[in-house]
Amino acid sequence: MRKLTPSFLQHPLAREIALAIAIKLVLVVAIFYAFFDGRSVHPDAAAVGEHLTSTRPSITP
């Protein structure tokens, strides 16, 4: 028994384009969740001020 596919996916080029769009959509969603997964740092003003005013050793060759 042959699977029924929508008429727009009957053409080989249309199948390739649909597959490429689906893969890109999956990649965009994966990148979105990689950056915005809720584990971000929430610094307070005191921590930021301490970080900016701390003296770090300079790197010299």
Side-chain angles (χ1 to χ4, degrees):
M1 181 168 190
R2 185 175 172 175
K3 284 174 56 174
L4 297 175
T5 59
S7 61
F8 68 91
L9 290 178
Q10 300 276 332
H11 195 273
L13 182 60
R15 275 194 302 263
E16 288 185 27
I17 292 172
L19 181 63
I21 290 173
I23 290 172
K24 287 181 182 185
L25 182 63
V26 168
L27 287 174
V28 166
V29 169
I31 291 171
F32 176 81
Y33 281 110
F35 283 99
F36 302 107
D37 63 349
R39 294 185 289 161
S40 62
V41 177
H42 301 289
D44 58 343
V48 172
E50 184 179 333
H51 177 74
L52 292 175
T53 59
S54 68
T55 56
R56 289 178 253 154
S58 62
I59 301 172
T60 56

